[in-house]
């Protein structure tokens, strides 16, 4: 099962605004709680772009598998700040693309919490998977291990 979480933290090294850690079926994104959201989002776009460049993540879009290397489209995730009524984060998904639209009035902790909700909804759609050490991990429940 896939698990992607964002968390505002206080323990990142000075000047490190974002830390992305990937493992089997999971991504942990730590965001500097004290940094201005605009700076965090700029760095987040860079870090997530580097994660996608590894080629471990894929989108199933209308029976087509989209990867970073798909001709004519490349897998991208963008975090965009602009005024949103209700002050939350909205994810808009298209072929090879997810745009997270977040209200710039949010602080970093509120941003992380609202992105977690948007990501959960995306993953529940069943269109994303990870290739990890030759194993395909999707959003199906893991079998119980005895």
């Amino acid at each position: 099962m896939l698990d992607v979480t964002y968390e505002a933290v206080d323990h990142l090294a000075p000047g490190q605004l974002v830390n992305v850690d990937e493992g089997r079926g999971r991504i942990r994104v730590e965001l500097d709680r004290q940094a201005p959201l605009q700076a965090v989002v700029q760095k987040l776009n860079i870090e997530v772009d580097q994660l996608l460049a590894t080629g471990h993540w894929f989108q199933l879009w209308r029976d087509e598998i989209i990867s970073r290397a798909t001709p004519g489209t490349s897998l991208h995730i963008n975090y965009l700040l602009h005024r949103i009524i209700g002050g939350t984060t909205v994810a808009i998904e298209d072929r090879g693309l997810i745009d997270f639209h977040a209200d710039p009035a949010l602080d970093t902790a509120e941003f992380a919490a609202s992105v977690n909700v948007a990501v959960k909804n995306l993953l529940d759609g069943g269109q994303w998977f990870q290739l990890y050490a030759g194993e395909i991990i999707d959003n199906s429940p893991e079998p119980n291990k005895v």
Side-chain angles (χ1 to χ4, degrees), residues 78-136:
N78 301 307
Y79 301 85
L80 308 162
L81 295 176
H82 58 87
R83 182 78 177 117
I84 296 178
I85 296 175
T88 187
T89 299
V90 176
I92 299 174
E93 184 176 17
D94 202 348
R95 182 180 180 265
L97 176 67
I98 297 175
D99 283 338
F100 288 99
H101 299 265
D103 195 315
L106 297 173
D107 65 25
T108 302
E110 292 167 332
F111 171 79
S114 68
V115 172
N116 282 330
V117 172
V119 166
K120 182 184 179 325
N121 290 335
L122 277 171
L123 293 178
D124 285 349
Q127 295 183 165
W128 286 85
F129 62 94
Q130 176 195 41
L131 181 61
Y132 188 82
E135 180 184 13
I136 295 173

Side-chain angles (χ1 to χ4, degrees), residues 18-75:
V18 176
N19 179 55
V20 177
D21 181 50
E22 177 185 19
R24 181 191 177 279
R26 69 162 181 81
I27 297 175
R28 297 282 183 265
V29 181
E30 296 176 320
L31 309 172
D32 183 343
R33 178 186 311 275
Q34 303 305 320
L37 182 58
Q38 183 174 357
V40 169
V41 167
Q42 287 174 344
K43 185 64 172 170
L44 182 59
N45 279 315
I46 293 166
E47 294 292 325
V48 169
D49 193 58
Q50 290 174 353
L51 173 75
L52 292 176
T54 65
H56 299 152
W57 289 88
F58 302 86
Q59 176 195 44
L60 179 61
W61 188 259
R62 299 184 182 144
D63 297 328
E64 178 183 11
I65 296 174
I66 308 294
S67 75
R68 194 57 180 260
T70 301
T73 197
S74 182
L75 199 57

